[in-house]
Amino acid sequence: MTLELRARLAGIIPPVITPLSDDGRFDRASAERLYRFHLEAGVHGLFLFGSSGEGPLLSEATRFEALETAVRIAGGRVPVLAGVLEPGTDRVIAEARRMRELGIDGLVVAPPYYFFTSQDEVIEHYRAVRRAVDLPLLVYDIPATTKVKVSLETMLALAEEGTVIGAKDSSGDAVGFRRLASKKPSGFKLFTGSEVLLDAALLAGADGAVPGLANVAPELFVQLYDVWTAGRLAEAAAIQERIVKLFEVFVRPDGTIQSGYAIGSMKTAMNLRGVITGTRLCAPFAAVTAEHQARVRSVLQESGVL
Amino acid sequence: MTLELRARLAGIIPPVITPLSDDGRFDRASAERLYRFHLEAGVHGLFLFGSSGEGPLLSEATRFEALETAVRIAGGRVPVLAGVLEPGTDRVIAEARRMRELGIDGLVVAPPYYFFTSQDEVIEHYRAVRRAVDLPLLVYDIPATTKVKVSLETMLALAEEGTVIGAKDSSGDAVGFRRLASKKPSGFKLFTGSEVLLDAALLAGADGAVPGLANVAPELFVQLYDVWTAGRLAEAAAIQERIVKLFEVFVRPDGTIQSGYAIGSMKTAMNLRGVITGTRLCAPFAAVTAEHQARVRSVLQESGVL
Amino acid sequence: MTLELRARLAGIIPPVITPLSDDGRFDRASAERLYRFHLEAGVHGLFLFGSSGEGPLLSEATRFEALETAVRIAGGRVPVLAGVLEPGTDRVIAEARRMRELGIDGLVVAPPYYFFTSQDEVIEHYRAVRRAVDLPLLVYDIPATTKVKVSLETMLALAEEGTVIGAKDSSGDAVGFRRLASKKPSGFKLFTGSEVLLDAALLAGADGAVPGLANVAPELFVQLYDVWTAGRLAEAAAIQERIVKLFEVFVRPDGTIQSGYAIGSMKTAMNLRGVITGTRLCAPFAAVTAEHQARVRSVLQESGVL
Amino acid sequence: MTLELRARLAGIIPPVITPLSDDGRFDRASAERLYRFHLEAGVHGLFLFGSSGEGPLLSEATRFEALETAVRIAGGRVPVLAGVLEPGTDRVIAEARRMRELGIDGLVVAPPYYFFTSQDEVIEHYRAVRRAVDLPLLVYDIPATTKVKVSLETMLALAEEGTVIGAKDSSGDAVGFRRLASKKPSGFKLFTGSEVLLDAALLAGADGAVPGLANVAPELFVQLYDVWTAGRLAEAAAIQERIVKLFEVFVRPDGTIQSGYAIGSMKTAMNLRGVITGTRLCAPFAAVTAEHQARVRSVLQESGVL
């Protein structure tokens, strides 16, 4: 299965949001429409329970239902990956085993994140998960939430020994990403989480992207990936510039970016585009305000998405 | 029940370690001896599943068994508190409800810690838990792991509206602690997590301490608390100085302090003192080495604990 | 001279503000009144060019004039110390040599702070200054500005080899302070920069304090030091509590503390108390607003200082 | 003059090292060879006293001599820029006025960096320098040393009001860089400090680079810039990859990057290439070891630079 996933893993894999009903439960009907919307936009995979998917905030029941739905909708046409963002190794393993039963194609696992984790502990974490669960693993490198950067040395060690088959880099460390792209073993799958740096990541040799903003407009990312791989660089530059402008949807009036606000923007965009019902977020995120919704609408209209 | 716990909450409440067998399961026999050991040392409460208790790394089964055991051993003589350190609000609520069934006296709840949490979100988090679970709540303020300091303003707001009845301050911010001690409403229970600052905390008006080092020598903390409250300050100073020297048990050869090493020191101390079997830690913490054990033994002997 | 300063160094040593005229030059007349005001309040030394003194922002001419004035006013009755907060070692040495000509008693030197400084570099820095300048040295440990915490091991190494005779701890790390107080060689002079923790610092064995808030009310700190050393602990507690309330003068309406605002509060307090003319701050700090002045006045009145 | 500099400012502008003799003084003969070496490599400007130039550690005398030498050697063929990295606004102004007398073309100014600087203070800082000194200004954005990121909003405000004509971005924030590139006013000159992201920066619309690694091999950066601007992207990719490999010269055996080590690598490379005498660094940086020199030599040989 590892080889199979490797062969299929490339392109745009949205870290899809998790639609919730007004009472906070999983909204299956919205989710079905959402996953289909992405597939119709041409995405190359679905990634559930990343940060954009509010993974660490969801109940077990919601995670189960969402994954079951995504696997069913995807129907084997594209790989379905699940994020496992648990505070400790044993909890990652327990969750990963439950997920495996649902027929997913791979796991994207973050380091433990309650305690500060040393590089030695990061390595032991991935090895333990690898030993316990027979599914391809990718590293989720996201120090803004986990407090630890998976170092270049750690990443290469895990890659070379075959513990992991790839990584989603949401580290914000573009220099480290470029160095990893240069040093990684052949076949190691490298994805960026950075919307506005997709062209730069492809230039560096990345295999694709897992961009939160693909929840707002997956078609733009698919187009960018397609024209880039076709070598039409001038078109790629124009699409990238549209994406940079669309990124403003994540920025609050005071110029800062916060997770709850950004995920609220994604849900609002999908709501405004008629894909999902409501914009309910997990606690403790605040509900989307009318002002917030108006800002999202405005950016979508300026960007030609609405 | 809130009033009842408030009346009883003061003194030394160890954040007890969680004994594990070699295969990583809960070691009930060791735990029974451990909880009795603390009670015989005169502690004024038991706090399970804090950082020292490896709370966020434990399986649900282990948490259930440990809590059931502690409640049974305590037998109502001292309050039993449980830490709820979950990455999101709904998961805190689900866990708290399960714990409540076991007859505990109160909850010590950390802010959500995967996403960075704003002060507004911290407030909403505690209110939501308060609405959902009928148990007294204390704030667990530990920014080194949660990334967010519960601000003075937030703490006072939660205290004054009655959402929480107290706090465990493991923030390392002694200035903030002193300001909180001065401004807190009457009846708000304030505990320090700082072993070496216990006298300073009592001087500032703290109600007691939840010190990880009480896992190594609870008797010293109980003695310090007793002589301090009896006004015998010179004796208190001497005991505090012994505690400062004993704190070296947490310090690695390179001068740094890391969670896995410190918890390993606690388990080693209790093992060397004949209380628990083994020193098994949760993954991804590394096993205690022979060198580490020798250092612990040496510090315990120099401090007269062994 | 080292021995002489050591013998005299204890108690309350305000990190005095630097009075400026409206055009930003040194205001000699205000400074003379200010230094006399502190001496009449009973302080045990004067410390110029710390953070409260805006040391790193002052022109060379202002530093020269201020130091010459302080030495003259002090007249040998109390030691005069000068902060040397320069981004590099050679610049510290050059500045220290100029200061030495003015007859000061000792230097309080921060680590280099433009580049991040390793512990090995911290040690080399102090040794180089020690070799080049024949004046007693104290470490200024203030990681909030210098980015580096002088580690316990580094501090002890510098102390034991005689490179430095003491330290001003503005690290905010009360645990580290307590450990240093326990481990420091006899005769090493340890001062806290923490206003609200003065009693705790004395309890831990500190020799005194260099508190920015002494710029607002030096008399309170001198009184606290005096009653503490006389063993009248209940009186000490009452004064410490007044100081905690007075500390609010540094807190902005939004609950945060910023250097420019805090130093503005100091200058405003001394202005309101009739000691200095104006409240001019160095660029880029914003001028004190009328609202800010009203808040300072209000806290001073509530605290009985005005 | 502003307009003139703007018209000429583009391409590769090395942040040149400052050659020192064994006794720590400016090594004029080495500097003359060094500046000529860069000019012969085709660089488009010289930038003195950045981080690579050890600017904040140098004595005033060294800065004066180095600048006088650089202006003389450049002879008007390329612009000469000087970094002004002083802890406070008035000291920036005093230094900038001295530098202006030497005939330089522009100033690259960092925010004040001893105290933490708010965005309002950053703005006031640049406006004050702009009012006081008649030279084109660029922002030096380097939060790893100054502790403050110049926000997108601040940068745009300073750009639009004409206070600054450009920026050197050494922030490591590639997302912020891309957003700034998209939003900046026409004519605002944007340079990256990132060696391994030069192609990505040019793709984003940057005007050029100020890469520390140009001290090791300026010719590679000039080539990359030339082939990129000629639209020969495949060649650009190959050169960028060589630069990524050459970047290893900055990495210590333990995988970390430290300023002193990296600047030591630059001086060692220029020494090995026969351009400068010795490798002396400013205190408190440690001297280059034989092992360090061997590593540099090895990387240079593997990269075909030696």
Side-chain angles (χ1 to χ4, degrees), chain A residues 51 56-58 63 85-91 112-115 121 124-125 142 144-145 147 259 263 283-285, chain B residues 51 56-58 63 85-91 112-115 121 124-125 142 144-145 147 259 263 283-285:
Chain A
S51 299
L57 307 183
L58 300 172
R63 285 202 297 266
L85 314 180
E86 292 290 322
T89 305
D90 291 343
R91 293 174 71 173
Y113 55 82
Y114 176 77
F115 295 108
E121 289 165 350
E124 174 50 27
H125 175 71
I142 184 164
T145 63
K147 301 189 288 277
S259 300
I263 301 170
F285 293 147
Chain B
S51 300
L57 306 184
L58 300 172
R63 284 202 298 266
L85 314 181
E86 292 290 323
T89 305
D90 292 342
R91 292 175 71 173
Y113 55 83
Y114 176 78
F115 293 109
E121 290 164 349
E124 174 51 26
H125 175 69
I142 184 163
T145 61
K147 301 189 291 274
S259 298
I263 301 172
F285 292 147

Side-chain angles (χ1 to χ4, degrees), chain D residues 37 41 213-221 223 239 241-249 265-266 268-275 295-306:
Chain D
F37 178 83
L213 195 59
N215 281 293
V216 172
E219 65 273 24
L220 284 183
F221 291 89
Q223 286 170 28
I239 302 169
E241 185 62 23
R242 281 186 68 195
I243 289 173
V244 172
K245 292 195 187 316
L246 187 62
F247 185 83
E248 295 304 308
V249 81
S265 296
M266 298 173 201
T268 299
M270 280 296 121
N271 175 267
L272 291 173
R273 298 186 71 177
V275 181
R295 283 175 63 91
V296 171
R297 185 193 302 271
S298 166
V299 176
L300 295 191
Q301 288 171 338
E302 286 164 22
S303 305
V305 170
L306 261 195

Side-chain angles (χ1 to χ4, degrees), chain C residues 51 56 86 91 114 145 147, chain D residues 51 56 86 91 114 145 147:
Chain C
S51 299
E86 292 290 323
R91 293 174 71 172
Y114 176 77
T145 62
K147 299 189 290 273
Chain D
S51 299
E86 292 290 322
R91 292 174 71 173
Y114 176 77
T145 62
K147 302 188 290 274

Side-chain angles (χ1 to χ4, degrees), chain C residues 24 50-52 54-60 63 85-91 110 112-118 120-122 124-125 128 140 142-147 258-261 263 280 282-286, chain D residues 24 50-52 54-60 63 85-91 110 112-118 120-122 124-125 128 140 142-147 258-261 263 280 282-286:
Chain C
S51 299
S52 300
E54 299 173 279
L57 307 183
L58 301 172
S59 73
E60 207 175 294
R63 286 202 298 263
L85 313 180
E86 292 290 323
T89 305
D90 291 342
R91 293 174 71 172
Y113 55 82
Y114 176 77
F115 294 108
F116 179 79
T117 308
S118 71
D120 284 347
E121 289 165 351
V122 168
E124 175 50 24
H125 176 70
Y140 197 161
I142 184 163
T145 62
T146 63
K147 299 189 290 273
Q258 285 195 352
S259 299
Y261 187 91
I263 302 171
R280 167 82 184 218
C282 289
F285 293 147
Chain D
S51 299
S52 299
E54 299 173 277
L57 306 183
L58 300 172
S59 73
E60 208 174 293
R63 286 202 296 266
L85 314 180
E86 292 290 322
T89 306
D90 291 343
R91 292 174 71 173
Y113 56 82
Y114 176 77
F115 294 109
F116 179 80
T117 307
S118 71
D120 284 348
E121 289 165 349
V122 168
E124 173 51 26
H125 176 71
Y140 197 162
I142 184 163
T145 62
T146 63
K147 302 188 290 274
Q258 286 195 351
S259 300
Y261 187 91
I263 303 172
R280 166 87 184 211
C282 288
F285 292 147

Side-chain angles (χ1 to χ4, degrees), chain D residues 6-21:
Chain D
R6 280 202 195 201
R8 300 171 70 199
L9 210 59
I12 305 303
I13 305 177
V16 289
I17 52 174
T18 307
L20 301 175
S21 58

